[in-house]
Amino acid sequence: MSPHAKPEVGKLEPEEIPECPHCGKPEPLCVCSDIAPIDNRIELLILQHPQEQDRALGTARLTALHFQNAALKIGLSWPSLSKVLGRSVDPQRWAILYLGSAKVEDLATDSEVVAIDRKGAIEDGQRSILNDIEGVILLDGTWSQAKALWWRNAWMLKCRRIILGPARPSLYGKLRKEPRGDGLSTLEAAALVLSRLEKRPEIETALTASFEKQLARFREVQATMPELAPKPRKRDYRRPANRRGKSALAKS
């Protein structure tokens, strides 16, 4: 091999593979070049745990790129929602995708986006509550990482709580096992909640198309570039489903 020849991409170490400056993914997996940002009315805020490092299959940055009115913040804690956003806001007009044990399938509703109270029951006046939402917060990371963000930011208790009841399982399929049947990627969750709250199905269509493209690209390169495959996630024994003789997490 000539001393001036470039090594094959497939022979590089994962950290040596160039990444897209926009989506942060290794260049062979980048699908963000064709994204046309959506002018969304409801703001999207993604809070990512700093140890979430799934460059191959993660969707947080890709999700934020899809919207003109979106922000991705990486960290563990912030004094308030206003501090995160850099301006004064009313947290009561913001909703957070709640990570507790409440499931839409257990509630008397066929809605895919539901506002719940601290006991996990359906809030009265659903239409009024959902119509009043100015922004949505998504927590990005593993189950335990997302829960860490929840417990370290007491101001989240002031936000509305919403849960999702997707009509279909995550497109991740066998590529990534979700901790529960209604678990979605950050991109899928954003697609579902914003398309329903804004009553714009084209939002879900656009994001789903990007996600399908991302997964297809991953499958294409997986065989020739195994170094891009994410490391298996360790079993999280802090999650109730993985503990024997323990009750579900108490609702705060």
Side-chain angles (χ1 to χ4, degrees):
M1 181 176 179
S2 167
H4 301 291
K6 294 183 179 179
E8 297 179 22
V9 174
K11 301 299 184 181
L12 296 176
E13 293 297 320
E15 63 272 11
E16 296 177 315
I17 299 175
E19 63 179 35
C20 171
H22 306 294
C23 68
K25 291 193 174 301
E27 287 185 351
L29 297 177
C30 174
V31 298
C32 70
S33 59
D34 298 327
I35 292 177
I38 297 167
D39 185 9
N40 52 313
R41 173 178 58 84
I42 297 173
E43 188 170 355
L44 177 66
L45 173 62
I46 303 172
L47 300 181
Q48 185 180 66
H49 193 284
Q51 293 180 354
E52 171 55 50
Q53 298 177 348
D54 190 347
R55 297 168 67 225
L57 289 173
T59 63
R61 288 193 183 185
L62 187 63
T63 303
L65 287 174
H66 270 282
F67 299 99
Q68 293 182 13
N69 196 15
L72 169 64
K73 302 291 184 179
I74 301 173
L76 286 174
S77 61
W78 298 265
S80 66
L81 178 57
S82 294
K83 289 291 186 180
V84 180
L85 296 170
R87 68 180 192 277
S88 179
V89 296
D90 179 2
Q92 274 287 303
R93 300 195 67 181
W94 278 68
I96 186 167
L97 184 56
Y98 185 58
L99 302 172
S101 58
K103 296 182 180 181
V104 170
E105 63 187 44
D106 297 329
L107 304 176
T109 179
D110 57 0
S111 298
E112 292 180 279
V113 180
V114 180
I116 60 171
D117 61 23
R118 293 195 178 191
K119 295 182 179 180
I122 299 177
E123 286 269 29
D124 293 331
Q126 286 286 305
R127 179 176 297 181
S128 176
I129 291 173
L130 297 179
N131 286 342
D132 196 46
I133 290 176
E134 293 182 347
V136 172
I137 304 167
L138 302 181
L139 305 181
D140 183 77
T142 64
W143 192 92
S144 60
Q145 289 170 353
K147 293 299 289 187
L149 290 172
W150 171 264
W151 293 119
R152 292 174 69 103
N153 292 276
W155 55 264
M156 292 182 183
L157 296 174
K158 300 177 181 179
C159 300
R160 296 286 186 180
R161 301 182 186 191
I162 57 173
I163 56 175
L164 305 181
R168 65 181 184 183
S170 173
L171 292 176
Y172 271 136
K174 295 181 179 180
L175 289 177
R176 178 191 284 182
K177 185 177 181 181
E178 294 298 326
R180 42 192 264 184
D182 57 353
L184 299 174
S185 67
T186 296
L187 183 145
E188 290 170 303
L192 177 57
V193 68
L194 291 187
S195 66
R196 300 305 185 272
L197 293 182
E198 295 201 12
K199 299 178 175 59
R200 296 168 63 191
E202 65 270 20
I203 291 177
E204 185 173 30
T205 299
L207 269 69
T208 299
S210 279
F211 193 38
E212 289 175 337
K213 186 176 179 181
Q214 174 191 339
L215 296 177
R217 182 70 57 81
F218 177 81
R219 291 185 175 98
E220 286 175 4
V221 303
Q222 190 176 27
T224 57
M225 301 180 68
E227 63 271 26
L228 290 182
K231 296 180 180 179
R233 294 188 174 189
K234 296 180 180 180
R235 190 175 184 184
D236 188 350
Y237 287 94
R238 285 176 289 182
R239 187 166 63 85
N242 287 334
R243 296 182 300 185
R244 296 182 179 179
K246 300 291 184 179
S247 60
L249 280 174
K251 301 181 183 68
S252 57

